[in-house]
Amino acid sequence: MQTSAAGSKPPTVPARGFTLLELLVVIALIAIVTAGVSLSLRDNADSTLARDAQRLASLLETARAQARASGVAVQWRPTPSGFAFEGLPRNDLPTQWLASTTHADMTAPIVLGPEPLIGPQAVALSHAADASRSAGPALWVVTDGLRPFKVQSAPAQTSP
């Protein structure tokens, strides 16, 4: 058993608490998690319109392939509640937008076959709330008739 005499040092007690390195690691982890959560929660109107445009391009390509495989003419047109594919023998493609504010603007239905080459086609997508703006549609889904449908931010350019 240890005894302390007058003038001797008291027994050393182990240090308690966190080191600076441990605190910095915890703060860094909190910052990373916070950034990840904030980025995942941000779903603005532009990203929903981009998802709808990319989805429409995929659906048009699917309908185009089905039209060629079945040998029937298929048309796509917007409806007040979404859009419709007309002419498919087994129409199991979606008919609703992902965002209820998405609006398609076009003058004629998009014709998707049955020929391998179709004419140039384009559809302008915007948000219904943006219809009053003079800036026009935010995204276009276009094809030149040979290549697949793609999403772009400007209307299709015609070559002379």
Side-chain angles (χ1 to χ4, degrees), residues 90-151:
R90 190 174 136 223
N91 192 357
D92 55 356
L93 294 176
T95 59
Q96 299 291 322
W97 299 110
L98 295 174
S100 62
T101 59
T102 301
H103 172 73
D105 186 28
M106 54 190 291
T107 56
I110 293 182
V111 180
L112 300 169
E115 297 82 19
L117 297 176
I118 60 175
Q121 310 277 335
V123 60
L125 295 182
S126 62
H127 286 288
D130 294 342
S132 62
R133 290 188 196 169
S134 61
L139 291 175
W140 291 78
V141 178
V142 299
T143 184
D144 61 357
L146 180 61
R147 291 187 207 102
F149 283 89
K150 66 180 178 178
V151 178

Side-chain angles (χ1 to χ4, degrees), residues 8 12 18 63 80 102 112:
S8 66
T12 59
F18 299 104
T102 301
L112 300 169

Side-chain angles (χ1 to χ4, degrees), residues 11-97:
T12 59
V13 178
R16 295 185 183 186
F18 299 104
T19 65
L20 181 61
L21 182 61
E22 291 170 334
L23 288 175
L24 288 175
V25 168
V26 169
I27 290 172
L29 288 174
I30 290 172
I32 290 171
V33 168
T34 303
V37 168
S38 68
L39 289 176
S40 69
L41 293 179
R42 287 174 64 192
D43 192 23
N44 59 14
D46 292 338
S47 66
T48 57
L49 187 64
R51 278 199 313 268
D52 264 334
Q54 190 59 47
R55 178 176 177 244
L56 179 60
S58 298
L59 289 173
L60 290 172
E61 279 305 310
T62 301
R64 187 177 180 184
Q66 288 180 5
R68 289 188 61 199
S70 62
V72 297
V74 175
Q75 290 186 349
W76 179 90
R77 63 177 179 78
T79 63
S81 63
F83 50 87
F85 290 95
E86 298 171 347
L88 286 175
R90 190 174 136 223
N91 192 357
D92 55 356
L93 294 176
T95 59
Q96 299 291 322
W97 299 110

